[in-house]
Amino acid sequence: MKALILVGGYGTRLRPLTLTVPKPLVEFCNKPILLHQVEALVKAGVRHVILAVSYMSDLLEREMRAQEERLGIKISLSHEKEPLGTAGPLALARELLTDSEEPFFVLNSDVICDFPFEDMLKVHQQRGREGTIVVTKVEEPSKYGVVVYEGDTGRIHRFVEKPQVFVSNKINAGMYIFSPAMLRRIQLRPTSIEKEIFPVMAEEGQLYAMELQGFWMDIGQPKDFLTGMCMFLQSVRQQAPERLRTGPGFLGNVLVDPTAVIGDNCTIGPNVTIGAGVVLEDGVRVKRCTVLKGAHIRSHSWLESSIVGWSSSVGQWVRMENVTVLGEDVIVNDELYINGANVLPHKSITDSVPEPRIIM
Amino acid sequence: MLKAVILIGGPQKGTRFRPLSFEVPKPLFPVAGVPMLQHHIEACSKLPNMKEILLIGFYQPNEELNRFLSCAQQDYKISIRYLQEYAALGTGGGIYHFRDQILSGGPEAFFVMNADVCSEFPLPEMLDFQKEHGDSYSFIILGTTANRKQSLNYGCIVENEKSDEVLHYVEKPGTFVSDIINCGIYLFTPEIFQHIGEVFQKNQQDMLLYSYEGEEQSNGWHRAEVIRLEQDIFTALAGQGKLYVYKTDRFWSQIKSAGSAIYASRLYLNQYHKTHPERLATNTDGGPKTRGNVYIHPTANIDPTAVLGPNVSIGTGVTIGAGVRVRESIILHGATLQDHSCVLNSIVGWGSTIGKWARVEGTPSDPNPNDPYAKIDSETLFRDGKLTPSITILGCNVNIPSEVIILNSIVLPHKDLNRSFKNQIIL
């Protein structure tokens, strides 16, 4: 089986992290975002993953070669010369996707959940139509495009963009399974699958919905990245609690890479991910944060709701909060207060940032 | 023989020093570990002919003041008395009212100084300067140079550059007059009382006049006894060949706002290298790590992993936990700073508690370091309807919970906060 992952462009929404690392390789809960998806696909029987990318990165190519070997699968990069939207990349990869009659998966690359690929395949085959899309329940449907479908059969009637009156609380979760026949609908030009393809398929009775169980999050922006991390760690707590760190100094769900070094009298958690080779000196307090590979947090600092970029260094008695994101190799001097800053890579911060802003 | 008068004001004054002046008379607020006034008293006591120091103000006699006076008398082996005005009589009215007390024993000269200044007190230099000027009965104002803009907040002195005679004096002018400002420290001879007396007489006559004209006279400032040295005396004496200015380039600052107390502490702590090296903490095994000038009261209990300084004063019985950081701050007696907390540019009130990993931070109001003549701005609390960022002040018995930040805020006494606050006055 095959899967197409819509990786897209520069990942601007996740800047400053994506200024130095392609978005698919940014670690989410200590694993590159893309690998969360790829590994779940492999588990469901996928043997060929096609990444639809609109800009090429040596780093990404090299990493994918390594993953091909590790997972024993084929990973192709399908490069768009111009951005083709969410449907165009399917046309570009048409030959790869139609060399058998098997259905194939299509995913948005920013989605984190308990991936239901095996269920999708089963449901799709039972229904025997051209497409099945996963939907997930949201609290505020008025902010999204919602999907209206028959509860018992799953047949989709229509899509309503940002509904002002309640019509449904289910939204497109960005995960699809299609039969190859569906590809005849798509031409090689910039096309939105959600706006131009799905409504037609729904009208013709070829598009069905499957409701997702459990958590779901689009982690394309730092704020949602952190929310998604909390959800993911909670699901680890339920499914594999032994992966979480417990004991004195650890509160709630905390994921720590075994190579990280944590000093005395620290309090870590709830909802913290500590990457490989990270050093937390004595007396550090961290909650609701991701600390990426190789970062160093010096003693007595306090961090909440922040992402510390790779190899960054945070000084002593620093207070960092309110979705502060440090890019790669940022240095924060001692005793500063950093409130909601977005700090570009390789910057050295010498003054407090009392109000949210971007540090170029 | 010499005497000195220190004008300490009263409880209605020093409002810019709230909420700290609720708990202790402002002149007793500790600067560099000792009461503000003690620096004046010590400077006076070093003069060989100094026989008596008189404090004049309108505070009700109180235990703190009494205790301070008796300690200071013992420490400096000099007579110190408090003379209470029946009302706020102004800087000239107070000394005029108590002129008999000041003149008893026949001092040939006496200093008058405001309590709310911090200074290196070049008193011997002022005495020498007075002698060097042909007329040994002249009056001397201590002056210093300010920048043009800030001079408008002070009394401004125009001098004859050759003779240093004061040619013109104006208090807080609206436009630039001179960059030489009045430091609030004077050397007078007994003859000054003639000049104050003349103003007193004139005031009495004016009041009779006004009352015939049916003008209101009940307002305190229309009392004949209320006389301001600056506006009423110096302005008149200027150009009469009686008033001179001795200019100093040594450190000097007003202590109007709480923020200026931190700045004044820095100046005095720096002076301790010469005057009181024993008051400066040193790095010792098992003691806290200090950076720059730090005063720690011997009764304070400080974890060896805490890092203090520069410019930190720790009062009696303060407890400081592991991994605490304090910089540019005054911690008043009985306060507790719990582990990993961080206190920057703040005054922590008596008996207050700061929780673990809490951050209490203010914005320093230091003079521009690149301008040698810059003074601390006696800032207003609000500008354009907004609280100006200033040092953070916690009144007494304030509780700050763990992990919050209190930034650029003033917390009135006896508050238990339950969250972070920024740029607020918390009643």
Side-chain angles (χ1 to χ4, degrees):
Chain A
M1 262 203 311
K2 299 190 181 63
L4 178 85
I5 301 178
L6 301 164
V7 173
Y10 295 95
T12 54
R13 292 190 306 157
L14 206 52
R15 282 180 181 169
L17 298 176
T18 46
L19 287 170
T20 48
V21 174
K23 186 176 66 178
L25 300 184
V26 172
E27 297 97 331
F28 174 81
C29 296
N30 285 350
K31 184 189 287 187
I33 296 175
L34 187 70
L35 286 190
H36 284 273
Q37 300 172 329
V38 171
E39 288 180 7
L41 288 166
V42 170
K43 226 174 125 199
V46 169
R47 290 294 170 264
H48 185 180
V49 174
I50 302 147
L51 305 182
V53 293
S54 62
Y55 92 110
M56 287 300 275
S57 136
D58 290 347
L59 198 58
L60 183 62
E61 266 193 286
R62 237 178 300 132
E63 182 59 26
M64 288 307 107
R65 294 289 84 83
Q67 292 301 330
E68 273 186 321
E69 196 148 317
R70 185 176 75 90
L71 296 165
I73 59 164
K74 188 166 163 50
I75 302 178
S76 316
L77 275 76
S78 171
H79 181 214
E80 305 156 37
K81 299 288 181 292
E82 54 162 346
L84 292 173
T86 46
L90 275 72
L92 190 65
R94 188 188 308 270
E95 280 178 25
L96 292 171
L97 295 172
T98 47
D99 67 356
S100 78
E101 280 306 299
E102 278 179 325
F104 59 90
F105 293 101
V106 174
L107 338 175
N108 286 341
S109 65
D110 295 344
V111 167
I112 282 293
C113 64
D114 278 332
F115 293 105
F117 298 130
E118 282 146 317
D119 287 348
M120 285 167 77
L121 180 61
K122 213 181 298 166
V123 167
H124 182 70
Q125 283 169 336
Q126 278 166 8
R127 287 172 181 158
R129 305 290 172 161
E130 282 182 22
T132 301
I133 73 172
V134 179
V135 296
T136 185
K137 197 155 88 180
V138 290
E139 283 183 3
E140 293 182 57
S142 53
K143 289 201 293 196
Y144 303 86
V146 300
V147 184
V148 182
Y149 64 96
E150 280 173 20
D152 37 358
T153 65
R155 183 179 162 178
I156 294 175
H157 288 288
R158 62 199 167 102
F159 296 85
V160 183
E161 198 54 37
K162 298 192 173 60
Q164 293 309 298
V165 287
F166 183 88
V167 288
S168 163
N169 58 2
K170 306 296 192 302
I171 65 161
N172 176 351
M175 292 176 282
Y176 325 120
I177 183 166
F178 298 125
S179 301
M182 173 272 191
L183 288 170
R184 72 184 190 297
R185 302 174 180 275
I186 301 175
Q187 284 153 29
L188 188 58
R189 58 177 171 80
T191 313
S192 161
I193 201 167
E194 298 89 349
K195 296 204 175 77
E196 298 174 63
I197 309 297
F198 287 167
V200 182
M201 289 175 74
E203 202 153 288
E204 293 175 10
Q206 290 295 338
L207 197 61
Y208 278 68
M210 182 190 110
E211 196 185 334
L212 180 68
Q213 306 301 313
F215 76 100
W216 176 88
M217 197 70 206
D218 177 334
I219 56 166
Q221 308 183 53
K223 184 171 163 285
D224 299 332
F225 184 96
L226 290 169
T227 307
M229 174 191 72
C230 299
M231 293 172 164
F232 183 88
L233 293 181
Q234 183 57 25
S235 111
V236 173
R237 160 79 55 201
Q238 283 151 7
Q239 295 174 14
E242 69 284 355
R243 289 179 55 203
L244 298 177
R245 187 78 172 261
T246 52
F250 294 92
L251 300 176
N253 302 327
V254 179
L255 186 64
V256 181
D257 186 279
T259 60
V261 179
I262 294 178
D264 297 333
N265 302 316
C266 290
T267 304
I268 317 289
N271 298 310
V272 169
T273 302
I274 308 279
V278 166
V279 176
L280 301 190
E281 294 185 3
D282 296 349
V284 167
R285 177 79 182 96
V286 189
K287 48 200 216 184
R288 204 173 184 274
C289 284
T290 288
V291 184
L292 293 167
K293 201 189 294 173
H296 189 126
I297 316 285
R298 299 198 56 215
S299 48
H300 315 299
S301 281
W302 184 95
L303 288 80
E304 184 182 45
S305 296
S306 297
I307 303 173
V308 179
W310 308 272
S311 307
S312 285
S313 170
V314 175
Q316 294 181 296
W317 291 288
V318 166
R319 182 186 178 97
M320 199 186 281
E321 62 184 350
N322 195 14
V323 199
T324 287
V325 184
L326 305 185
E328 184 171 13
D329 180 36
V330 165
I331 297 171
V332 178
N333 283 11
D334 289 351
E335 300 166 24
L336 299 184
Y337 171 46
I338 311 292
N339 176 20
N342 271 295
V343 186
L344 271 60
H346 314 296
K347 281 295 287 186
S348 182
I349 312 270
T350 54
D351 291 303
S352 287
V353 184
E355 295 301 329
R357 65 186 187 95
I358 294 162
I359 311 289
M360 292 286 281
Chain B
M1 64 106 119
L2 291 167
K3 288 198 183 188
V5 175
I6 306 173
L7 304 171
I8 66 170
Q12 293 91 329
K13 295 279 174 183
T15 53
R16 273 179 286 181
F17 217 69
R18 288 175 179 172
L20 300 165
S21 51
F22 288 143
E23 310 303 324
V24 59
K26 178 179 153 184
L28 297 185
F29 186 83
V31 175
V34 305
M36 205 183 282
L37 267 183
Q38 192 170 323
H39 300 284
H40 300 60
I41 290 172
E42 184 171 311
C44 293
S45 71
K46 283 181 181 164
L47 293 171
N49 296 329
M50 182 61 65
K51 286 291 175 288
E52 186 172 50
I53 299 169
L54 300 168
L55 312 186
I56 295 180
F58 45 99
Y59 285 99
Q60 291 297 323
N62 59 75
E63 202 191 319
E64 280 144 313
L65 193 56
N66 291 339
R67 204 180 322 127
F68 168 73
L69 291 180
S70 64
C71 288
Q73 293 202 73
Q74 282 176 13
D75 290 353
Y76 297 104
K77 301 188 176 51
I78 189 165
S79 159
I80 307 175
R81 287 189 295 139
Y82 173 49
L83 306 175
Q84 190 193 350
E85 296 164 89
Y86 59 91
L89 296 178
T91 46
I95 59 171
Y96 187 66
H97 183 75
F98 290 113
R99 59 191 181 278
D100 293 345
Q101 301 274 0
I102 296 168
L103 296 180
S104 80
E108 60 261 21
F110 61 97
F111 287 95
V112 172
M113 43 185 90
N114 288 304
D116 59 0
V117 297
C118 107
S119 172
E120 210 171 311
F121 297 110
L123 309 183
E125 291 85 346
M126 287 173 78
L127 285 167
D128 291 347
F129 177 82
Q130 188 191 37
K131 290 197 185 75
E132 284 160 18
H133 279 77
D135 177 4
S136 64
Y137 293 102
S138 58
F139 311 131
I140 313 296
I141 302 178
L142 182 67
T144 193
T145 308
N147 66 35
R148 287 177 71 98
K149 184 162 162 276
Q150 288 179 322
S151 68
L152 308 182
N153 301 321
Y154 296 88
C156 292
I157 298 163
V158 181
E159 61 159 0
N160 176 327
E161 283 180 23
K162 285 205 183 96
S163 66
D164 295 317
E165 189 201 337
V166 176
L167 300 176
H168 183 71
Y169 184 94
V170 56
E171 188 68 19
K172 299 188 180 68
T175 54
F176 177 73
V177 172
S178 168
D179 59 359
I180 303 171
I181 61 165
N182 175 0
C183 292
I185 298 171
Y186 319 116
L187 175 59
F188 294 142
T189 55
E191 201 198 336
I192 191 76
F193 291 121
Q194 289 175 21
H195 298 280
I196 303 176
E198 282 164 20
V199 173
F200 177 68
Q201 305 289 342
K202 184 174 165 290
N203 282 359
Q204 274 189 324
Q205 285 165 9
D206 284 356
M207 293 189 64
L208 283 171
L209 206 65
Y210 286 138
S211 65
Y212 284 129
E213 288 171 3
E215 290 279 329
E216 228 177 285
Q217 58 164 329
S218 53
N219 183 328
W221 280 104
H222 287 147
R223 284 179 138 130
E225 309 91 287
V226 174
I227 299 164
R228 299 160 299 177
L229 274 180
E230 301 79 11
Q231 290 96 324
D232 300 328
I233 308 297
F234 295 159
T235 304
L237 281 177
Q240 305 291 314
K242 289 297 300 176
L243 193 59
Y244 289 82
V245 57
Y246 173 72
K247 288 171 292 175
T248 183
D249 53 4
R250 301 303 178 83
F251 75 80
W252 177 87
S253 177
Q254 277 190 326
I255 312 180
K256 290 288 187 199
S257 62
S260 53
I262 293 180
Y263 176 60
S265 273
R266 184 189 314 154
L267 299 175
Y268 280 135
L269 285 174
N270 196 37
Q271 192 193 25
Y272 283 170
H273 285 285
K274 276 188 289 179
T275 57
H276 287 285
E278 79 286 356
R279 286 186 189 162
L280 293 171
T282 48
N283 282 301
T284 53
D285 290 342
K289 192 167 186 310
T290 59
R291 299 180 185 166
N293 298 334
V294 175
Y295 169 84
I296 302 174
H297 194 274
T299 58
N301 180 13
I302 301 177
D303 190 279
T305 61
V307 181
L308 312 177
N311 187 21
V312 166
S313 307
I314 308 285
T316 52
V318 166
T319 303
I320 294 187
V324 168
R325 178 77 180 102
V326 186
R327 170 160 62 80
E328 295 287 343
S329 294
I330 297 174
I331 314 298
L332 296 164
H333 79 78
T336 301
L337 313 188
Q338 293 179 353
D339 298 357
H340 319 294
S341 59
C342 181
V343 177
L344 309 174
N345 303 305
S346 298
I347 296 177
V348 176
W350 305 270
S352 288
T353 301
I354 295 174
K356 289 183 176 187
W357 282 293
R359 182 183 182 96
V360 173
E361 180 176 13
T363 300
S365 38
D366 288 354
N368 177 2
N370 300 317
D371 176 354
Y373 300 124
K375 302 285 174 280
I376 196 157
D377 273 318
S378 30
E379 74 277 12
T380 49
L381 219 45
F382 292 91
R383 193 183 296 141
D384 305 328
K386 275 187 175 163
L387 187 63
T388 356
S390 69
I391 66 153
T392 285
I393 306 167
L394 308 183
C396 79
N397 289 314
V398 166
N399 280 313
I400 306 295
S402 294
E403 304 192 25
V404 303
I405 178 167
I406 309 297
L407 184 67
N408 301 338
S409 293
I410 298 172
V411 186
L412 271 65
H414 309 290
K415 286 293 287 185
D416 286 347
L417 302 187
N418 53 14
R419 61 175 176 91
S420 294
F421 287 92
K422 294 178 189 174
N423 308 307
Q424 278 188 53
I425 297 176
I426 301 147
L427 285 176

